[in-house]
Amino acid sequence: MIKAAPMPACSSIPLPFTTKASPHQRSRVSGPRRLRLPASPFRQPRSAFAASPPASRLRPRASVSASAAPSKDYEFTDGNGEVELRLDVQKLGIESSKDVFVDVDDTSLLIRAKSDGTLRTLMNVLTLFDRIKSSETIWFIDEDQLVVILKKVEQELKWPDIDESWESLTAGITQLLTGISVHIVGDSTDINEAVAKEIAEGIGYLPVCTRVASDGEDSVADAESIVLESLSSHVRTVVATLGGKQGAASRFDRWQYLHSGFTVWLSVSDASDEAAAREEARRSVSSGSVAYAKADVVVKLGGWDPEYTRAVAQGCLVALKQLTLADKKLAGKKSLYIRLGCRGDWPNIEPPGWDPDSDAPPTNV
């Protein structure tokens, strides 16, 4: 017998995540495992992660680069197509914008100021929450504050903060997901469960895993498909699917209900760096040699260690953000697919009344 079971909430971690994890920034996901699969030990990660949407949806900045959130000694405001930063510079004796140097590109920001003959770094954001129009950046001194105004590329996207930190992603991703559930697929049930818990707690969704008490790979896949069907009409869940050959996600003909959510494929990579991992992800999707390639996004792992769970979860959210911004109609299309009954006609959705069991050929080929 197989059923869906809510997972215990993940423990919260107050400190921001960095690419090189430290003992103070490691995730501690606890709770009983629903299913343990025999598997060879995973390597220690060479890098935290790399992520990529399918080849058809790749954007220039598809690999994941994470940085710690800057210290909160600034004021941040989002509104009307731009974001505003205010930094207190009175204590540095800066009275003119001529003493301020702002280096900015579409995804990063470095603010320095000359004080007492010394060039000081006031803020260094390696990855902004989203892209900006760097050529339209302005800054000036307003009484005792330095004001920096950045023009957003995606004007309707609300920025929770200036950087693409875990805190910003978990606060900002729900406006893009619009309630559509997230499905975590991959070869390891343990990895799928750990990452699903972390994401669910971060974005306020319900974490769900599938449990099995059945013999034989075919019967397990059949039973899990029934569970996925029952979950397909639910919203705001993060579903950890079964890994290995017995999981429904490993089979090409069992994706009918997985397409009801945003699917994330967690794949352990042999790539030596993020660039190679991106290329490996692109090849995996374009070749279609495994059923997991049907996923909406791919997150490549340079090995696995439970202490890096948050790093992987952050990679998933970055990839989902890029995906939904690249295709703003995707969430609505998922919603339509659900409303029509998840008939298996993804991504070319047939008109209402189409019967997948009929002999009539599909119209949206």
Side-chain angles (χ1 to χ4, degrees), residues 342-360:
C342 300
R343 302 171 299 178
D345 51 344
W346 184 267
N348 301 312
I349 300 176
E350 295 291 330
W354 177 73
D355 183 3
D357 296 325
S358 70
D359 295 330

Side-chain angles (χ1 to χ4, degrees), residues 13-280:
I13 301 169
L15 295 181
F17 140 84
T18 58
T19 301
K20 183 178 180 181
S22 71
H24 301 292
Q25 295 167 321
R26 290 171 173 171
S27 176
R28 297 177 177 85
V29 179
S30 60
R33 294 286 183 238
R34 303 307 185 196
L35 175 66
R36 294 192 180 276
L37 301 178
S40 57
F42 288 97
R43 306 179 308 279
Q44 290 285 342
R46 287 186 298 271
S47 62
F49 52 81
S52 174
S56 61
R57 293 194 176 100
L58 278 173
R59 292 173 60 191
R61 190 172 58 88
S63 63
V64 174
S65 176
S67 61
S71 57
K72 193 66 174 181
D73 54 358
Y74 59 90
E75 298 175 18
F76 175 82
T77 307
D78 177 312
N80 296 326
E82 63 187 28
V83 294
E84 179 183 284
L85 285 170
R86 286 181 172 267
L87 296 87
D88 185 3
V89 294
Q90 182 181 33
K91 58 185 176 182
L92 299 177
I94 299 172
E95 299 179 352
S96 170
S97 58
K98 295 181 180 180
D99 296 325
V100 177
F101 304 89
V102 178
D103 297 316
V104 62
D105 60 26
D106 290 352
T107 60
S108 65
L109 171 68
L110 173 63
I111 303 175
R112 295 173 294 174
K114 186 177 292 185
S115 175
D116 298 328
T118 301
L119 192 62
R120 304 174 184 271
T121 297
L122 304 184
M123 175 176 284
N124 186 13
V125 182
L126 299 181
T127 309
L128 295 167
F129 183 73
D130 195 49
R131 294 175 299 138
I132 62 170
K133 301 175 182 179
S134 55
S135 62
E136 299 183 27
T137 302
I138 60 175
W139 63 93
F140 55 89
I141 300 295
D142 180 19
E143 296 183 349
D144 58 354
Q145 289 185 315
L146 168 64
V147 181
V148 180
I149 299 177
L150 308 173
K151 297 290 185 178
K152 300 189 292 186
V153 171
E154 302 289 347
Q155 296 192 13
E156 295 181 0
L157 179 67
K158 297 299 181 182
W159 289 32
D161 209 334
I162 187 63
D163 63 328
E164 195 180 59
S165 64
W166 170 255
E167 291 77 11
S168 295
L169 283 166
T170 52
I173 193 65
T174 53
Q175 65 184 299
L176 299 172
L177 298 181
T178 64
I180 301 296
S181 294
V182 177
H183 297 153
I184 307 297
V185 305
D187 280 328
S188 171
T189 302
D190 283 348
I191 295 177
N192 296 347
E193 288 188 359
V195 175
K197 288 179 184 178
E198 192 80 1
I199 292 175
E201 183 187 74
I203 67 177
Y205 277 27
L206 176 68
V208 179
C209 68
T210 52
R211 291 187 291 180
V212 63
S214 182
D215 295 326
E217 292 180 356
D218 290 339
S219 62
V220 170
D222 290 341
E224 188 182 20
S225 295
I226 294 173
V227 171
L228 292 171
E229 179 180 2
S230 68
L231 292 171
S232 64
S233 60
H234 291 238
V235 296
R236 297 180 180 85
T237 63
V238 183
V239 181
T241 64
L242 296 177
K245 295 181 179 179
Q246 68 225 34
S250 68
R251 305 187 177 207
F252 285 95
D253 59 347
R254 302 300 172 87
W255 274 73
Q256 178 176 352
Y257 299 105
L258 285 167
H259 286 309
S260 65
F262 292 109
T263 50
V264 181
W265 174 18
L266 302 181
S267 175
V268 177
S269 171
D270 292 325
S272 58
D273 54 39
E274 287 191 7
R278 287 177 59 189
E279 177 59 23
E280 184 179 88

Side-chain angles (χ1 to χ4, degrees), residues 327-345:
D327 186 353
K328 296 182 177 65
K329 296 182 179 180
L330 185 58
K333 189 174 180 180
K334 292 278 187 183
S335 179
L336 175 62
Y337 181 74
I338 295 169
R339 293 198 307 272
L340 292 176
C342 300
R343 302 171 299 178
D345 51 344

